[in-house]
Amino acid sequence: MAQPSRTRNDFMLALQYFDQKEFEKANVLFEDLFDSNPDGIYPYYYKSLLEVKELSKAEKITKKQLKRNPQNVYLYVYLARIYKKLEDEKKVKESYDKAIKEVENIPQQVQALVNALVE
């Protein structure tokens, strides 16, 4: 297991690469950090993967996040964005439909879903 100061330094370096749009370098670090702090790393890692068109990895980590946090229905919107880039309209529609269906079961997630749609 990485030591906390090393992990923090790696995270800060990854964010620096991310801010400088050096996404390939950031992704190497994000990938190592993801398992130890998926909720903290996910938003950056997801966006960084999309930037370099690593869509299968973006799909994999998004599905992993959904499995860990099924109440975070906005993740279906993130999946839909991946499928849109892959031009898979059937999966885009399925993802949006799933988001709408799930938000009916978890009304407190409506605002998170709206925020994801307008991002």
Side-chain angles (χ1 to χ4, degrees):
M1 178 183 256
Q3 295 173 340
S5 63
R6 174 141 195 264
T7 300
R8 176 147 176 77
N9 290 341
D10 286 352
F11 180 62
M12 297 308 291
L13 182 58
L15 288 179
Q16 182 178 344
Y17 287 142
F18 182 85
D19 289 341
Q20 295 170 348
K21 301 188 183 326
E22 295 183 55
F23 300 110
E24 290 87 359
K25 290 179 182 179
N27 287 343
V28 170
L29 295 168
F30 286 144
E31 185 172 13
D32 289 340
L33 295 166
F34 183 72
D35 287 331
S36 63
N37 182 11
D39 294 332
I41 301 298
Y42 175 78
Y44 301 103
Y45 192 24
Y46 169 84
K47 290 173 186 171
S48 194
L49 288 170
L50 290 186
E51 288 291 336
V52 296
K53 298 179 179 26
E54 288 191 44
L55 302 177
S56 63
K57 272 189 184 177
E59 178 185 20
K60 181 180 175 183
I61 68 164
T62 303
K63 285 182 174 180
K64 192 173 188 176
Q65 283 297 94
L66 261 171
K67 190 173 186 174
R68 288 182 67 253
N69 302 301
Q71 74 281 4
N72 291 344
V73 296
Y74 65 87
L75 291 167
Y76 290 110
V77 174
Y78 288 19
L79 271 178
R81 288 185 184 138
I82 295 165
Y83 297 139
K84 186 145 185 80
K85 288 181 180 290
L86 292 169
E87 298 179 358
D88 188 337
E89 290 304 316
K90 181 181 179 199
K91 284 188 176 181
V92 170
K93 183 181 178 338
E94 287 171 0
S95 295
Y96 284 133
D97 288 348
K98 185 76 171 166
I100 292 166
K101 182 178 184 244
E102 290 300 316
V103 84
E104 291 172 358
N105 297 327
I106 312 170
Q108 60 272 29
Q109 285 291 308
V110 170
Q111 189 60 50
L113 182 59
V114 169
N115 291 343
L117 289 167
V118 297
E119 271 183 7

